[in-house]
Amino acid sequence: MRLEITCDDRLGIAQDVLEILRNYEIDLRGIEVDPKGKIFLNFPELEFKDFQHLMPEIRRIANVKDVKTVAFMPSEREHYEFKLLLNMLPDPILSLDSRGDIDIANDAAQRILGDSGKTLLGSNISHWISGFNLLRWLEKQPQQATVQQISVSGAKYFADLLPIWISDEQAKQNFAGAVMTCKPQPLAEQWQRNVSADAFSQLLGEHSSMKRLIKEASRMAELNVPLLIQGETGVGKELLARACHQASKRAEQPFLAINCAALPDNVAESELFGHGKGSLGPYTEAKKGIFEQANGGTVLLDAVSEMSNGLQAKLLRFIQDGRFRRIGEEQEVTVDVRIICSAQDDLLEQVENGRFREDLFYRLNVLSLHVPPLRERKTDIPLLADHFTVQACQRLGRSLIMVSRAARERLQQYAWPGNVRQLENVLFRSISMAEGDSLDADDLQLPSTSNLADAVTVDLEEGSLDEAVKKFESTILRRLYPSYPSTRQLAKKVGLSHTAVANKLREYGIGKNRKKKPL
């Protein structure tokens, strides 16, 4: 029960009210005094006979004007208003005491930090975040706000930390903890604000394989020789090729790409080398090919393994001297372009199978890079998920949506056969269909698939078990070798000795100038 007493200010009026409550043996739960001339009381429900005697006695107190029941205390209204406001905000917000224990957490914080088995309130913040020693910061009783990078379930955030100082009656300042807000925009603008912007800034990844790839690519970008980029579909081969172009001295010149698998042989030749007037029909005009249009710049030949033998031969001649003839013309054209090729399959295996020219392979494979599939760098998934979430919200024109803890776990458990491109598409589709301000595990529209990270298909119908085991072993080593070109590194990865791995590479013909042993 709650009472609102309207009165004129008088010394001792609150004491008179409390005296009446004591006479009735009422357990007072709370009292609030409003400077505007109101006293609010909170106590348990009374029997009607007691209540009908209590009200007249309070009204008889000097300076009391009115007494009535109310539904809530002012502090209760403020509490619910404050809670409603916090829960409407899309960013996680927490209030911490001086020891780092969580006093207040809005719904967004609960979705990101908590789960069904644990509660945030009362727990210590150190159980939920890493990357910054927040407890040590609180021990120093800081005066100034700060922004720190933190990690929550593998996802990166900027945490705004605001210290709380409260003045007592003597105007003495007392440290009471801090308020922490998290900004889930680690990669869109702010995450790399302390890192010098470069051509490879859009290649997101903290996994050791990605760091090694970017380091090697940054060196190769400066060299004016052909570059071969291999990797599964959707890993970002074209993005890497563009980055290499932007990091080279040709950055101010054109970057043009052509998909060799998407065009018939005669069309591809015209697209690459151009044609003369009337060469493809009486009304056709002369056209410059991709190589001529990109003079001074870079050309990406995507899916180069799908190029026909005839086109391979013409490309080989062009790489040798930088000259070619347009279709239907005799005059040679000389251009200066850097060629970058990409392939989904192991191009050396295509050479061994006779589907790709060996001489062209060695012309293209002067420098080579292998982009690892997403399933081999799952620690990068939260990083990429946050980046694509920000991008999707911007494209859809909606407020930033939060990815729940359960959704992050499901993203990391999925095999991602379509790699980074599939992750981007799944998040965009899921966010576009989401109705609330958070993305939960059930909102992710993921097709069912077998775990491609652990499955390698073998066929026992065409050979013995020993042959199938060797094929399996060869496939694994061939897949890992581009990322671990040093036999010592590869041996450490697979848990074998350096000598054993070297012998297996030699046996299966994997690596530079290795010839398979005769069986």
Side-chain angles (χ1 to χ4, degrees), residues 120-373:
L120 284 178
L121 299 183
S123 65
N124 197 274
I125 189 63
S126 61
H127 297 156
W128 306 99
I129 71 168
S130 59
F132 175 67
N133 195 329
L134 187 52
L135 299 185
R136 184 176 299 172
W137 181 78
L138 290 170
E139 288 175 358
K140 296 178 181 179
Q141 298 189 358
Q143 297 282 344
Q144 302 296 326
T146 183
V147 179
Q148 297 292 335
Q149 297 171 4
I150 63 170
S151 178
V152 179
S153 302
K156 302 296 183 179
Y157 292 87
F158 275 116
D160 290 302
L161 300 171
L162 309 172
I164 302 173
W165 288 87
I166 301 176
S167 300
D168 58 18
E169 294 180 354
Q170 288 75 36
K172 180 182 177 181
Q173 295 285 320
N174 298 282
F175 183 67
V179 171
M180 182 176 78
T181 64
C182 299
K183 301 293 184 182
Q185 300 183 22
L187 297 168
E189 297 109 7
Q190 294 177 308
W191 178 241
Q192 297 188 1
R193 63 183 178 182
N194 294 326
V195 180
S196 59
D198 57 32
F200 297 94
S201 60
Q202 292 192 20
L203 293 168
L204 309 179
E206 294 184 343
H207 192 270
S208 58
S209 62
M210 283 301 294
K211 290 182 177 179
R212 182 169 58 250
L213 173 68
I214 293 173
K215 183 178 180 180
E216 292 175 356
S218 62
R219 294 177 179 175
M220 295 180 184
E222 301 175 357
L223 305 177
N224 192 28
V225 293
L227 171 63
L228 176 61
I229 301 175
Q230 297 185 90
E232 296 178 6
T233 180
V235 293
K237 297 186 291 294
E238 182 172 346
L239 189 64
L240 179 60
R242 289 183 180 276
C244 289
H245 170 73
Q246 291 297 326
S248 71
K249 296 178 181 179
R250 300 174 180 266
E252 300 299 323
Q253 301 302 320
F255 175 90
L256 300 179
I258 184 170
N259 189 334
C260 300
L263 299 174
D265 188 28
N266 58 336
V267 177
E269 183 177 0
S270 173
E271 288 293 318
L272 287 175
F273 301 103
H275 57 261
K277 184 176 181 180
S279 59
L280 301 181
Y283 303 108
T284 56
E285 297 293 331
K287 177 187 175 182
K288 292 182 178 180
I290 293 291
F291 289 131
E292 201 169 349
Q293 295 174 40
N295 189 19
T298 304
V299 170
L300 170 63
L301 301 178
D302 190 18
V304 69
S305 59
E306 303 298 322
M307 187 178 287
S308 68
N309 288 333
L311 201 55
Q312 288 180 37
K314 192 164 185 178
L315 177 61
L316 176 62
R317 290 195 298 270
F318 168 65
I319 294 175
Q320 288 174 342
D321 53 23
R323 292 180 293 179
F324 63 89
R325 290 187 179 90
R326 297 176 187 163
I327 297 175
E329 291 188 354
E330 296 182 357
Q331 183 179 359
E332 287 190 334
V333 179
T334 302
V335 295
D336 172 29
V337 295
R338 184 188 188 184
I339 294 179
I340 300 179
C341 297
S342 67
Q344 292 182 22
D345 306 317
D346 186 348
L347 208 54
L348 181 58
E349 185 175 341
Q350 299 279 61
V351 172
E352 293 173 351
N353 295 334
R355 292 195 294 266
F356 197 83
R357 292 179 62 110
E358 184 176 8
D359 49 1
L360 178 59
F361 169 76
Y362 288 113
R363 286 284 186 179
L364 299 177
N365 193 34
V366 179
L367 302 173
S368 63
L369 293 169
H370 176 80
V371 186

Side-chain angles (χ1 to χ4, degrees), residues 487-505:
T487 52
R488 295 189 184 278
Q489 294 176 3
L490 182 56
K492 185 177 179 181
K493 173 69 177 177
V494 299
L496 297 175
S497 68
H498 167 250
T499 303
V501 168
N503 290 336
K504 290 181 182 297
L505 292 177

Side-chain angles (χ1 to χ4, degrees), residues 400-416:
L400 190 62
I401 199 169
M402 304 295 295
V403 182
S404 70
R405 187 187 186 94
R408 293 180 185 278
E409 291 175 354
R410 188 177 181 194
L411 289 174
Q412 286 193 282
Q413 293 168 359
Y414 189 67
W416 298 113

